[in-house]
């Protein structure tokens, strides 16, 4: 099985468990790290709407909890006519652990619909290199 198929399968499995009773919009995300490990997440909404978390945030948490720190590529899976590209906050979350040329794949139920580099989705990003250079 290819890397994209593995990512798609992991994102689909996570998406099946999404908790999205308010929007009805289930999303799954899966990250591949340089080690080849895959970490998935689903969106988790909340009665207090702003407290909800995106699928990408869950996948990143799973990656960090397992002791990994680099995103080689990420796939986001959602339904609908429009591409389910990551929200602005999640682009920044991905930036923390990925380089400008990391691939972000946007998928629908039938497979990947579009692929972007992180730099395409978050140009001129503020990243950890800048912040760490100023850390005391
Ligand atoms: N959502 C994600 O989980 N990831 C995205 O990339 C787009 C949006 C979620 C947040 C919310 O639970 C629902 O989709 C509707 O916005």
């Amino acid at each position: 099985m290819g890397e994209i198929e593995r990512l798609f399968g992991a994102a689909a499995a996570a998406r099946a468990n999404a908790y999205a009773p308010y929007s009805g919009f289930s999303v799954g995300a899966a990250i591949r790290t340089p080690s080849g490990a895959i970490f998935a997440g689903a969106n988790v909404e909340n009665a207090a709407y702003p407290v909800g978390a995106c699928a990408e945030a869950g996948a990143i948490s799973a990656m960090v909890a397992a002791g990994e720190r680099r995103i080689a590529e990420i796939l986001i899976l959602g339904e609908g006519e429009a591409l389910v590209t990551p929200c602005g906050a999640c682009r920044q979350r991905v930036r923390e652990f990925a380089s400008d040329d990391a691939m972000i794949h946007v998928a629908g139920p039938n497979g990947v619909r579009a692929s972007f580099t992180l730099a395409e989705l978050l140009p001129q990003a503020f990243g950890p290199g800048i912040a760490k250079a100023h850390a005391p």
Side-chain angles (χ1 to χ4, degrees), residues 73-86:
E73 58 183 340
I74 181 168
L75 181 147
I76 298 108
L77 171 55
E79 268 186 285
E81 200 177 319
L83 291 177
V84 182
T85 50

Side-chain angles (χ1 to χ4, degrees), residues 20 23 25 27 42-45 53-56 76 84-87 90:
S23 72
F25 193 74
V27 182
N43 54 332
V44 181
E45 297 185 345
C54 287
E56 295 90 327
I76 298 108
V84 182
T85 50
C87 76
C90 283

Side-chain angles (χ1 to χ4, degrees), residues 61-113:
S61 289
M63 177 191 81
V64 171
E68 298 233 29
R69 292 285 187 275
R70 293 306 294 170
I71 296 172
E73 58 183 340
I74 181 168
L75 181 147
I76 298 108
L77 171 55
E79 268 186 285
E81 200 177 319
L83 291 177
V84 182
T85 50
C87 76
C90 283
R91 295 175 195 204
Q92 187 68 35
R93 289 190 175 97
V94 170
R95 177 67 188 87
E96 188 70 18
F97 302 105
S99 49
D100 272 344
D101 60 356
M103 295 306 298
I104 298 177
H105 306 287
V106 178
N110 298 323
V112 172
R113 300 176 64 191

